[in-house]
Amino acid sequence: MALLEVKDLKVSYGDLEVVHGISFEVEAGEVVALLGANGAGKSSVMRAISGLLVPSGGSVVLDGRSLVGVEAHELVEMGLRHVPEGRKIFAPLSVEENLRLGGYSARKEGALLNQRINEVYERFPVLGERRKQLGGTLSGGEQQMLAVGRALVTGPRIVAFDEPSLGLSPKMSSLILDTISEIADAGTGVLLVEQNAREALKIAGRAYVLDLGNMVIEGSADEVAADSRIQATYLGGDIDEAEIAEGDDE
């Protein structure tokens, strides 16, 4: 059984169905990319998984337990974290206050929470330097670091990242995506929605492609990258398989 299993998922807004019975899995320690054009239904899938939307059909199961209808704090305790598009940090709070609020479920384990916060500072030294600075005064890249760090302080089993490189410089995008790859290498499952398909496929093990709410392509990252439809629509031409294999080296 996969860590996360999504089967025949349907998502609707009123009478309008926007996701039409899709299925996919995420294993512990792997990055799974969910690709597609704007309006394909990717964010709706993410919101349904993280409890922000109630699916109109199908199932979402984490380690054998249904996530449908589960309260947000229970989802966190079960090991699921969602890093949303736009980061959604708490602008009036300091960097450290954002991290401590993110780790609220571990507040009774003070030593463990402190250790995890220190690990975030080790991963992103600039956050350690600015721990007292208000989140809203950080640059876009620093805010994304904070959003990632806020997810990590809970010790998640799986993290859903929605467009983590959106609006970032190429250098900062590479840093964030490399970090996501490292998170998976440490054993955490990762579901990645990412507009930069080329970069997403470099760090993903498997990929699924949505089109107007339907699953149209699925397979290994190499297989998906080699698909002529993907090359023409998302990659702007051929992509070298060796380029994918390089991953974090770039």
Side-chain angles (χ1 to χ4, degrees):
M1 176 183 293
L3 177 60
L4 178 71
E5 294 183 313
V6 176
K7 292 184 178 180
D8 301 320
L9 179 68
K10 297 181 180 179
V11 181
S12 301
Y13 295 92
D15 294 331
L16 177 63
E17 186 176 275
V18 296
V19 177
H20 313 298
I22 69 168
S23 301
F24 62 89
E25 299 179 345
V26 181
E27 298 281 359
E30 74 166 342
V31 177
V32 171
L34 189 60
L35 308 176
N38 290 337
K42 306 184 303 296
S43 290
S44 294
V45 171
M46 295 289 253
R47 290 168 64 84
I49 290 171
S50 61
L52 297 174
L53 289 174
V54 178
S56 54
S59 62
V60 181
V61 176
L62 177 62
D63 198 21
R65 180 179 172 185
S66 175
L67 301 185
V68 177
V70 176
E71 297 289 336
H73 69 278
E74 292 184 84
L75 292 176
V76 172
E77 291 170 358
M78 290 171 65
L80 173 69
R81 288 309 302 258
H82 181 187
V83 179
E85 180 181 348
R87 300 176 279 275
K88 303 295 191 298
I89 66 165
F90 297 102
L93 301 183
S94 71
V95 167
E96 183 139 341
E97 287 169 337
N98 267 273
L99 294 175
R100 290 197 176 278
L101 191 55
Y104 183 77
S105 62
R107 65 194 181 281
K108 295 180 180 178
E109 303 175 76
L112 178 60
L113 179 56
N114 288 336
Q115 175 187 327
R116 289 175 176 167
I117 290 174
N118 287 332
E119 288 171 354
V120 170
Y121 291 151
E122 290 173 6
R123 183 181 293 276
F124 301 119
V126 67
L127 295 184
E129 296 167 4
R130 302 184 182 183
R131 65 183 70 193
K132 301 302 181 184
Q133 187 170 327
L134 298 184
T137 66
L138 300 176
S139 70
E142 291 163 352
Q143 289 186 15
Q144 189 61 273
M145 292 178 193
L146 182 54
V148 173
R150 190 175 57 185
L152 295 181
V153 293
T154 60
R157 302 181 65 196
I158 186 165
V159 184
F161 290 94
D162 195 353
E163 302 287 9
S165 78
L166 188 64
L168 302 183
S169 68
K171 182 178 180 180
M172 185 59 68
S173 295
S174 293
L175 173 62
I176 293 298
L177 292 174
D178 284 350
T179 299
I180 290 171
S181 181
E182 291 167 4
I183 291 169
D185 288 343
T188 300
V190 171
L191 177 61
L192 174 63
V193 165
E194 172 55 45
Q195 46 87 27
N196 190 332
R198 183 182 294 273
E199 297 303 315
L201 289 169
K202 288 180 185 178
I203 67 170
R206 292 182 295 116
Y208 299 84
V209 182
L210 287 179
D211 182 43
L212 298 178
N214 296 296
M215 193 75 77
V216 293
I217 302 173
E218 59 183 272
S220 71
D222 288 0
E223 292 168 342
V224 172
D227 191 291
S228 59
R229 293 167 292 177
I230 296 300
Q231 292 178 2
T233 304
Y234 301 108
L235 303 180
D238 293 342
I239 182 170
D240 190 336
E241 291 184 7
E243 189 178 21
I244 298 175
E246 287 176 3
D248 295 346
D249 293 336
E250 227 178 67

